[in-house]
Amino acid sequence: MDVDPRQYEHIAINDNDIHNIIMSYLVHNCFKETLESFIACTGMKQPSDYLEDMDKRKRIFQFALEGNALKSIELTEQLATNLLEKNKDLHFDLLSLHFVELVCSRKCAAALEFAQTKLTPFGKEQKYVEKLEDFMALLAFDEPEKSPMFHLLSLEYRQHVAENLNRAILAYANHPSYTAMERLIQQTTVVRQCLNQEHTKDGPPPFSLKDFLKS
Amino acid sequence: MGGVEDDEPASKRMKLSSEELRLLSNGSAIKEPLAGSSGGLMAWPLHSQGGKEVVGSKGLIKKVEFVRIITKALYSLGYIKSGAHLEEESGITLHSSLVNVFMRQILEGSWDESIVTLHDIGLTDERTIKSASFLILEQKFFELLDEEKVMDALNTLRTEIAPLCINNSRVRELSSSIVSPSQCFSVWSLKQDTLRARSRTKLLEELQKLLPPTVMIPERRLEHLVEQALVLQRGACLFHNSMDKEMSLYADHQCGRDQIPSQTLQILQSHADEVWFLQFSHNGKYLASSSNDRSAIIWEVDANGLSLKHKLSGHQKPISSVSWSPDDHQLLTCGVEEVLRCWDVSSGECLHVYEKAGLGMVSCGWSPDGKWIFSGVNDKSICMWELDGKELECWKGQCTLKISDLEITSDGRQIISICRETAILLHDREAKVERLIEEDRTITSFSLSRDNRFLLVNLLNQEIHLWNIEGDLKLVSKYKGHKRTRFIIRSCFGGLEQAFIASGSEDSLVYIWHRGTGELIKALPGHSGSVNCVSWNPANPHMLASASDDRTIRIWGLNNLSAKLKDSHSNGIHYCNGRT
């Protein structure tokens, strides 16, 4: 390849590509109104079956993020039957969200019963045992926020589970589970790391997303 | 005479007690009650007279501690009444009353009360109190679970156990055990025993280990002290050479010198010239000897002594050494700068001759699996052969001298030989590493210990040096007293656990030292010529063989008289020719 990876400024870009990238981002994150408005402005072709499902997906995501895992599970079953059966890790994570809810609202007896009926069956497989132990340990503390496992109660954790659920639903419907935007940013990061490793100070510096966003 | 004591005036009683007080302060132990008092010793509160009373001739033993551990031992042995009586009579209670209450509460299962008592006992270490509380509450937790009071157990965990903030991983395990008390996760079945209630007595034992010994005397303390003394005695027993002796508490253990072979039991006179080398087989059932008369002899060891089994002829030169195969089925003999011959022990047949054109062998040895033979050659190399005679490897260079021993460690890795006048080479075949033992004087011979950790080196200056060859090479001991001026004299390890060193000597005596202390124990007369080599029977710590220039081999054993005085359990060897 005789093209220097640092010389990126003269590469031609297709407008359509950019629109597609933006659309994929909006669809993935269920920004329905924004998407409709964007389509109207740019005159892009409306993606066929996305819209209706987007509403449902959005609600599923919201419930999971709030910690209302049971509702989230119910809606998922409606939208994508068998998804959770085939995706046991996800199923476990969602159920554990509900468990955490019960623990946080200090409903110990209910939490215990829920764990015994819904979570322990997963314990037959070795890979769930440690996770189970982590969650059960929350029961021992009067103030679970102060226990060693406090991260299981955090927003970040719920976000993580909700996002996984979102991706799984998209994949189930044969749509891409990652946005083009994510991939592009990941790619840029790697390229920049590679270029930095080459130790050559001469020539133009590689593109830095961080600097761009700051400016 | 029963009523007399009651009538005795108080003053007389007082005198008795001051008498005993005097005895005590002199440091002598109380042996018997003083005459005139059939009621035995009086009890008075010793605590108030200071816990400084001592017993024993060295004044090391505090009386209070002594009585308490005896009391504990009585209780452990099941003599409850005696234990209680001793507590009463001596006025020394085994445990303070609080501790007694505590123990009772544990055994009854009054958990919350026991924790209160625990705090009252007055321990100084916060951590100990917490750990002990943890154990008690854990027991409470498990017992609640057993009674299916799940919510109560959970409550205990949340409000009592977790706040202690110790042992978080255990807290984790406890919460998991609530969730599935009976049908445990299949993977967890391994943890089953740690996840259920143990017996309350076991809990008490665990607590005993946790709490300081002044509060609760540890179990079996007296037994432990006595065993310690016995082990020390055994270690200090210089002549310990007999497994039969059982240790008794009545007298200090000490094997007498009569456990060391010191009497000639047999004189073997079948060689026609100086006997240069001998060695017992690994199983102790045979002895092989080699001589200047160019023959080797295999002797059989049995209940009546040694008898000639085979005379091996064939060498054209005197035989300098022999080597037993690891399974004792074959014997290698080495002619001086000549060939090696391999003989079958049961038939006496010569199986193979190992030679190298134009060169002569100087030493021989076996690989530990009996598949290969090593030999030193007079061109200073060491060769390795397959049994059928095929030469496999040859280490050239200054590996060995014309006069040298050859030993291979039992892991097959190290080949040991004298490579220079003052140095022994330890060549590791696998790691291809070489180590050197360097001495100031000329080395004449060496011997490897059975555990491969030590090397016994004979020097020109009449010293025998013991080297540790495991890890870093270190000189450990020196043995002196024997005579060596002109010839090769050999020494060996021997006795129970190779605790002794024996050596030949030019003054025709056999010398025996205690390996650990280096003390010369015996110098045995009998031979009429230089004693060239000694070998101690590996299977019988009471049998020693020596080879001499006087053409004889002497078999040494225990003193006849003491052997007869022993109980009927003999070593299976009847003694004949009991005279020197």
Side-chain angles (χ1 to χ4, degrees), chain B residues 252-451:
Chain B
D252 278 3
H253 174 78
Q254 208 175 62
C255 289
R257 285 168 182 244
D258 60 348
Q259 292 301 307
I260 310 286
S262 35
Q263 189 152 39
T264 305
L265 301 181
Q266 233 185 322
I267 304 178
L268 307 173
Q269 293 174 308
S270 304
H271 277 293
D273 205 328
E274 296 166 3
V275 188
W276 285 357
F277 192 91
L278 51 57
Q279 198 176 59
F280 279 101
S281 62
H282 299 100
N283 58 12
K285 293 192 187 149
Y286 298 101
L287 177 68
S289 61
S290 73
S291 164
N292 196 18
D293 69 2
R294 290 172 281 155
S295 77
I297 299 181
I298 298 180
W299 310 82
E300 192 165 345
V301 179
D302 62 34
N304 296 321
L306 275 74
S307 52
L308 194 151
K309 188 175 164 79
H310 292 299
K311 189 153 184 166
L312 313 172
S313 314
H315 277 282
Q316 306 297 313
K317 293 279 188 74
I319 303 177
S320 57
S321 61
V322 303
S323 180
W324 288 93
S325 68
D327 62 8
D328 292 332
H329 289 167
Q330 288 163 37
L331 185 74
L332 274 178
T333 54
C334 179
V336 173
E337 293 194 53
E338 196 217 10
V339 302
L340 288 188
R341 281 175 180 266
C342 185
W343 310 80
D344 180 273
V345 172
S346 40
S347 67
E349 239 184 272
C350 179
L351 296 173
H352 208 279
V353 179
Y354 302 89
E355 51 191 335
K356 271 189 114 166
L359 296 170
M361 307 295 170
V362 300
S363 57
C364 57
W366 290 82
S367 70
D369 53 13
K371 290 196 190 140
W372 300 303
I373 290 173
F374 294 84
S375 70
V377 188
N378 62 358
D379 69 351
K380 304 206 177 129
S381 64
I382 296 181
C383 286
M384 186 168 125
W385 312 74
E386 259 180 41
L387 290 181
D388 59 12
K390 187 169 114 191
E391 189 181 316
L392 285 176
E393 246 191 282
C394 198
W395 291 274
K396 302 240 188 244
Q398 184 109 0
C399 297
T400 184
L401 295 181
K402 284 196 187 165
I403 298 177
S404 170
D405 293 312
L406 186 69
E407 294 267 18
I408 294 109
T409 52
S410 49
D411 58 4
R413 280 176 65 158
Q414 300 200 62
I415 303 180
I416 308 175
S417 65
I418 305 175
C419 64
R420 282 202 319 263
E421 267 192 16
T422 54
I424 292 180
L425 177 69
L426 295 103
H427 172 82
D428 189 321
R429 288 199 299 140
E430 248 174 68
K432 309 253 190 267
V433 163
E434 288 184 352
R435 296 185 292 166
L436 276 180
I437 289 180
E438 303 202 62
E439 287 278 3
D440 294 328
R441 302 301 177 90
T442 309
I443 300 170
T444 56
S445 63
F446 65 82
S447 179
L448 183 63
S449 70
R450 203 177 323 152
D451 59 13

Side-chain angles (χ1 to χ4, degrees), chain A residues 106 108-109 112 115-116 120 123-124 126 129-130 132-134 136-142 148-149, chain B residues 150-151 154 157-159 162-163 168 171-173 175-176 178-181 183 185-188 191:
Chain A
R106 308 286 193 269
C108 296
L112 185 59
Q116 275 170 323
T120 53
K124 299 206 180 82
Q126 175 60 36
V129 170
E130 206 183 315
L132 257 171
E133 286 182 8
D134 282 349
M136 292 309 120
L138 286 171
L139 270 178
F141 296 91
D142 226 13
M149 316 271 54
Chain B
V150 183
M151 286 317 292
L154 183 58
L157 180 61
R158 288 166 63 93
T159 56
N168 272 327
V171 170
R172 233 174 108 97
E173 287 179 9
S175 10
S176 308
I178 296 186
V179 179
S180 63
Q183 38 108 8
F185 308 138
S186 54
V187 200
W188 283 10
K191 289 197 202 171

Side-chain angles (χ1 to χ4, degrees), chain B residues 66-97:
Chain B
F66 195 52
V67 173
R68 281 174 90 195
I69 61 172
I70 294 175
T71 315
K72 180 85 186 188
L74 284 173
Y75 281 126
S76 315
L77 287 168
Y79 304 132
I80 314 291
K81 281 197 282 188
S82 302
H85 196 67
L86 178 56
E87 282 191 78
E88 197 199 313
E89 229 184 324
S90 62
I92 301 173
T93 52
L94 179 58
H95 295 131
S96 72
S97 49

Side-chain angles (χ1 to χ4, degrees), chain A residues 69-123:
Chain A
L70 291 183
K71 192 79 188 163
S72 187
I73 291 176
E74 189 194 318
L75 292 177
T76 310
E77 292 286 307
Q78 284 173 5
L79 182 57
T81 43
N82 293 341
L83 171 71
L84 291 177
E85 263 175 54
K86 293 194 184 144
N87 220 320
K88 291 188 81 179
D89 285 357
L90 190 54
H91 197 181
F92 179 83
D93 285 343
L94 283 168
L95 288 170
S96 65
L97 279 187
H98 180 72
F99 176 79
V100 166
E101 266 307 294
L102 290 171
V103 168
C104 282
S105 30
R106 308 286 193 269
K107 295 183 187 148
C108 296
L112 185 59
E113 208 205 307
F114 180 75
Q116 275 170 323
T117 45
K118 296 284 182 190
L119 291 180
T120 53
F122 284 89

Side-chain angles (χ1 to χ4, degrees), chain B residues 227-271:
Chain B
E227 279 185 334
Q228 216 175 46
L230 288 176
V231 166
L232 273 168
Q233 279 175 16
R234 191 169 63 194
C237 176
L238 214 55
F239 307 116
H240 191 75
N241 198 26
S242 200
M243 316 235 279
D244 305 324
K245 273 250 195 253
E246 272 169 9
M247 301 194 79
S248 159
L249 293 182
Y250 298 135
D252 278 3
H253 174 78
Q254 208 175 62
C255 289
R257 285 168 182 244
D258 60 348
Q259 292 301 307
I260 310 286
S262 35
Q263 189 152 39
T264 305
L265 301 181
Q266 233 185 322
I267 304 178
L268 307 173
Q269 293 174 308
S270 304
H271 277 293

